[in-house]
Amino acid sequence: MINETLQKLLIVDESENNRIAIKNILQDEYEFVEAASIEEAINTIERCTIDVVLADLKFISQLKDNDKILQIPLIAMVDSSDVDAGAIAIESGAFEVIAKPLNQTLVSYRIHNVIKHFKDAESVQILKDKQIIEMHKYVEMDALTGLINRETFYKRAAALMQVNIETKYYIIYFDISCFKAINDLFHIETGNLILRTAANYFRTVIDPKVGLCSRIEADHFIICVPQDKIDIEKLIIGLDVTVQALGIGHNILFYAGIYPVNNPSLPVDQMCDRANMALRKIKGNYMNRYAYYDAGMRELMLQDQMIVRDMETALQENQFSIFLQPIYDIKRNTINSAEALVRWFHPINGMISPGKFIPVFERNGFIVKTDRFVWEEVCKFIQRQREETGEVTPVSVNVSRLNFYNLDLLEFLLGLLERYELESWMLKLEITESAYMDNSHQLMSIIKVFREEGFPVLMDDFGSGYSSLNMLKNLPVDVLKVDMAFVRELEESERAYMILKFIMNLAKDLGMDVIVEGVETKKQLDYLVHLGADKIQGYYFSKPLPVPEFKKLLKENKICK
Ligand code: C2E
Ligand code: CA
Ligand code: CA
């Protein structure tokens, strides 16, 4: 009976005696199969699994032509009297050579070694294949969450939409609010846990047969799903609940920007950009957790691109200039001061409003250069005005929060005063309320230094953000500029009136001045007078004016209303 575990050795030799001799030498180490011709040998190789072939030299090259032999170790038997035979055998493709007459021990060892070597090589190949598969996975996957990565998403989403050309898809871009803060406040593992939990959630709600989900970077996820297979409201609530269930105790909110795909041939990265554009519109807004892309957003994006492209040239070519809006002291009936507001006169697009370019500059950091330009223009104006009239009207300038990251901020301001021979009370610094929230400790100490140097500090847009009234007590500011929204609501809302009244009283108790901005009508002004407001800025009195016009107004120095 043949032992099942024995390896099969094929002996290819015309001489039966030779074949018998081999069988005698190896005896029961192998299961033997014999062939007396090349045809017989090939036939056998193709029919059954052979572990090793021992063939007379004359068959080697023919055997080597057969594809199957590539995976089987081939040993040539050569005549020991022929000195070249060994080399010829190896050249012809034999893996090993044994000499006739056969030496029992040597033959046995050689065959063993050859088989072992082949097995090892085979396992190395299997390992390599496995590694290649793993590598492919690695290249396609995000290691943290196991979701597919950005490139894979782009490829697969394009393929998915191409195959299901009739299906209407959404590309949805997700982002977590304050994720950076979570990473800072807690351990990085907490952040990772949130990301993995979100990934698992996506995996369970998006049927992989119809949709895709991916983590494309940091805390940004993207999904591609048929529109009729998803309820966005439910999806976001489910996501919030799942992540909140981790009990991290921080308000972790997901926001989503949605691009309904109406042109499946658009590159997927551009679809994602559009979804991201929609997302940017609502990020940080507690009420709106998702938004849809519309064509207007694309216009905005193109406009932003134009702004970024042209900003440096604009500064070099003097396309920026300052306008001054008077701030009136209605009790004294004079112009108390002015606010400098930047204007951009673009050679092709005409005047661009700061509402359009300031947010872009704040995102890309160019605001620091712009602000410094404005401050210098203001200093030039004050200096010239003093030379011409002998009088000084203080001007307040906007100091965007990004300036506070520059260590030479104070030095720069003091340098300006020196260059234009001004004093610090002439240049007032407006810092928007939200900046106090961002970076309160550091900011407070910088503001303290400004005030010690004699710069009046104004808190701009007060009441527009989240600052509590209690916080006011600790704020080292000289003036509150009440946000326009209050004035707008004054006529309709009793509440706005009450809050404003409270603010005015509180400011008075704390020894702060109040400027009310955005006053457009006589009625609003009357309310404000009733509340005791005395410093007013708004269209009712004057819009921001080009410097020559402002000078003219100063000369007349009267309230025309
Ligand atoms: P802001 O600092 O709150 O400036 C007041 C804005 O309100 C100005 O808009 C001004 O023209 C406008 N305004 C004044 N009175 C009225 C009114 O009665 N009704 C209405 N509806 N609006 C009024 P502007 O010049 O378009 O500037 C918008 C914002 O852009 C500014 O708000 C400020 O945040 C920013 N900005 C403008 N110039 C600069 C600058 O040089 N540097 C920085 N960092 N920001 C600037
Ligand atoms: Ca301002
Ligand atoms: Ca303001």
Side-chain angles (χ1 to χ4, degrees):
M1 217 183 91
I2 295 165
N3 185 336
E4 291 285 350
T5 60
L6 284 184
Q7 291 180 307
K8 255 188 203 158
L9 186 146
L10 169 65
I11 309 165
V12 190
D13 202 312
E14 278 172 337
S15 147
E16 191 177 5
N17 285 346
N18 278 349
R19 300 200 300 270
I20 292 169
I22 294 165
K23 285 199 283 187
N24 284 340
I25 286 173
L26 299 169
Q27 288 195 6
D28 44 17
E29 284 182 55
Y30 299 93
E31 179 194 340
F32 298 103
V33 191
E34 296 173 46
S37 65
I38 184 70
E39 291 77 25
E40 250 184 277
I42 289 177
N43 201 3
T44 312
I45 289 166
E46 286 182 347
R47 261 190 306 108
C48 45
T49 314
I50 300 293
D51 295 295
V52 59
V53 178
L54 198 58
D56 187 72
L57 175 61
K58 68 191 281 191
F59 298 113
I60 295 294
S61 54
Q62 281 170 290
L63 279 170
K64 222 34 208 179
D65 286 343
N66 188 286
D67 279 350
K68 247 191 140 184
I69 202 90
L70 287 175
Q71 285 121 43
I72 309 171
L74 179 59
I75 303 169
M77 291 179 287
V78 300
D79 212 323
S80 60
S81 59
D82 183 349
V83 283
D84 295 329
I88 294 170
I90 300 292
E91 249 174 40
S92 312
F95 191 79
E96 179 61 285
V97 181
I98 49 182
K100 289 192 257 186
L102 305 164
N103 170 310
Q104 182 170 5
T105 327
L106 211 59
V107 170
S108 182
Y109 271 127
R110 289 224 169 138
I111 298 176
H112 264 292
N113 283 347
V114 165
I115 293 176
K116 186 169 177 299
H117 186 97
F118 248 73
K119 278 265 167 319
D120 288 352
E122 201 178 333
S123 46
V124 167
Q125 191 56 46
I126 290 170
L127 209 70
K128 270 193 191 151
D129 290 348
K130 258 196 189 154
Q131 275 172 344
I132 288 171
I133 293 169
E134 281 302 311
M135 225 168 67
H136 269 291
K137 263 199 217 157
Y138 180 73
V139 171
E140 296 193 333
M141 304 276 246
D142 157 42
L144 178 73
T145 61
L147 295 181
I148 54 173
N149 62 22
R150 180 197 294 266
E151 280 67 31
T152 315
F153 178 83
Y154 288 169
K155 261 191 274 164
R156 293 198 193 166
L160 185 71
M161 287 186 262
Q162 219 72 66
V163 171
N164 305 296
I165 201 88
E166 297 296 317
T167 312
K168 291 251 170 274
Y169 284 92
Y170 283 136
I171 294 283
I172 311 180
Y173 198 118
F174 290 89
D175 190 359
I176 305 176
S177 65
C178 314
F179 188 73
K180 202 186 158 304
I182 294 163
N183 264 342
D184 290 346
L185 282 173
F186 304 94
H187 196 263
I188 187 126
E189 255 316 305
T190 310
N192 288 349
L193 178 67
I194 295 169
L195 297 176
R196 278 196 293 262
T197 307
N200 284 338
Y201 174 79
F202 286 128
R203 251 195 293 266
T204 50
V205 294
I206 309 295
D207 179 354
K209 287 199 233 47
V210 299
L212 293 166
C213 38
S214 156
R215 182 172 82 121
I216 61 157
E217 64 182 7
D219 57 334
H220 299 177
F221 293 87
I222 289 207
I223 65 176
C224 171
V225 270
Q227 296 185 7
D228 57 357
K229 294 274 187 303
I230 200 94
D231 177 334
I232 289 160
E233 190 103 17
K234 264 197 199 150
L235 182 83
I236 294 188
I237 293 172
L239 192 53
D240 282 353
V241 170
T242 311
V243 172
Q244 237 106 72
L246 294 171
I248 289 163
H250 193 84
N251 209 9
I252 303 153
L253 296 176
F254 279 81
Y255 289 86
I258 306 155
Y259 172 60
V261 180
N262 47 23
N263 171 12
S265 56
L266 192 75
V268 178
D269 61 328
Q270 286 184 33
M271 295 183 188
C272 295
D273 282 350
R274 291 181 179 193
N276 191 18
M277 257 181 252
L279 173 74
R280 286 222 303 260
K281 214 176 89 178
I282 42 136
K283 200 168 169 213
N285 180 332
Y286 284 82
M287 308 305 287
N288 268 339
R289 302 290 299 290
Y290 61 91
Y292 290 87
Y293 168 85
D294 64 61
M297 291 179 186
R298 193 175 136 71
E299 289 302 310
L300 276 182
M301 187 193 70
L302 293 177
Q303 182 187 288
D304 285 5
Q305 281 172 356
M306 179 277 291
I307 288 170
V308 174
R309 191 193 61 209
D310 294 351
M311 61 190 190
E312 287 283 358
T313 322
L315 198 59
Q316 283 156 17
E317 295 182 354
N318 264 323
Q319 292 169 19
F320 293 113
S321 60
I322 57 162
F323 271 36
L324 295 168
Q325 185 177 30
I327 296 167
Y328 285 94
D329 182 332
I330 51 172
K331 284 216 175 99
R332 296 205 173 89
N333 213 27
T334 59
I335 291 173
N336 164 276
S337 55
E339 176 176 5
L341 296 153
V342 69
R343 294 291 178 264
W344 182 353
F345 296 93
H346 191 281
I348 295 164
N349 301 311
M351 198 180 86
I352 310 172
S353 123
K356 286 186 182 152
F357 63 84
I358 296 282
V360 180
F361 289 2
E362 283 183 334
R363 281 203 297 274
N364 68 19
F366 194 70
I367 192 68
V368 173
K369 280 191 188 171
T370 321
D371 275 354
R372 289 186 174 198
F373 166 82
V374 169
W375 306 339
E376 180 144 17
E377 288 301 297
V378 167
C379 289
K380 285 181 195 164
F381 162 77
I382 301 174
Q383 189 196 43
R384 228 172 288 136
Q385 185 67 9
R386 187 170 56 181
E387 280 167 12
E388 287 167 16
T389 67
E391 281 175 25
V392 168
T393 305
V395 178
S396 66
V397 294
N398 291 288
V399 183
S400 177
R401 75 192 73 177
L402 244 59
N403 289 291
F404 298 104
Y405 296 102
N406 278 27
L407 295 176
D408 68 339
L409 173 60
L410 182 68
E411 202 184 314
F412 183 85
L413 285 166
L414 293 175
L416 283 180
L417 296 186
E418 203 181 312
R419 197 168 330 141
Y420 295 96
E421 298 170 314
L422 306 180
E423 288 162 40
S424 50
W425 61 269
M426 300 171 185
L427 199 61
K428 303 185 182 203
L429 309 177
E430 290 197 10
I431 300 164
T432 186
E433 182 202 59
S434 52
Y436 292 81
M437 299 295 101
D438 278 2
N439 197 350
S440 51
H441 283 300
Q442 199 194 349
L443 190 69
M444 299 285 185
S445 53
I446 301 175
I447 289 176
K448 209 167 140 245
V449 178
F450 284 154
R451 295 182 75 216
E452 281 163 10
E453 290 289 342
F455 292 101
V457 175
L458 289 70
M459 188 197 251
D460 203 0
D461 307 325
F462 181 74
S464 64
Y466 325 94
S467 60
S468 79
L469 291 173
N470 282 334
M471 213 186 86
L472 264 186
K473 293 191 203 90
N474 307 317
L475 280 181
V477 300
D478 303 281
V479 181
L480 291 184
K481 283 190 87 167
V482 175
D483 191 59
M484 290 184 208
F486 284 105
V487 179
R488 243 170 250 147
E489 284 184 34
L490 257 185
E491 291 167 50
E492 288 107 50
S493 156
E494 174 82 2
R495 207 161 154 261
Y497 182 87
M498 295 307 292
I499 294 175
L500 206 49
K501 189 173 170 185
F502 183 76
I503 292 173
M504 307 279 290
N505 288 337
L506 196 64
K508 207 163 150 201
D509 290 347
L510 296 168
M512 292 176 187
D513 244 347
V514 174
I515 296 174
V516 182
E517 41 174 351
V519 181
E520 293 180 351
T521 66
K522 174 85 171 78
K523 207 164 166 201
Q524 288 169 341
L525 182 68
D526 291 344
Y527 271 113
L528 291 165
V529 170
H530 195 248
L531 281 172
D534 53 0
K535 311 274 185 332
I536 305 287
Q537 176 183 356
Y539 292 173
Y540 179 69
F541 290 121
S542 169
K543 290 200 165 187
L545 301 170
V547 172
E549 280 183 45
F550 181 74
K551 280 184 169 176
K552 219 167 101 203
L553 196 73
L554 270 184
K555 219 174 185 174
E556 294 160 3
N557 197 16
K558 63 173 196 283
I559 301 179
C560 307
K561 305 275 169 175

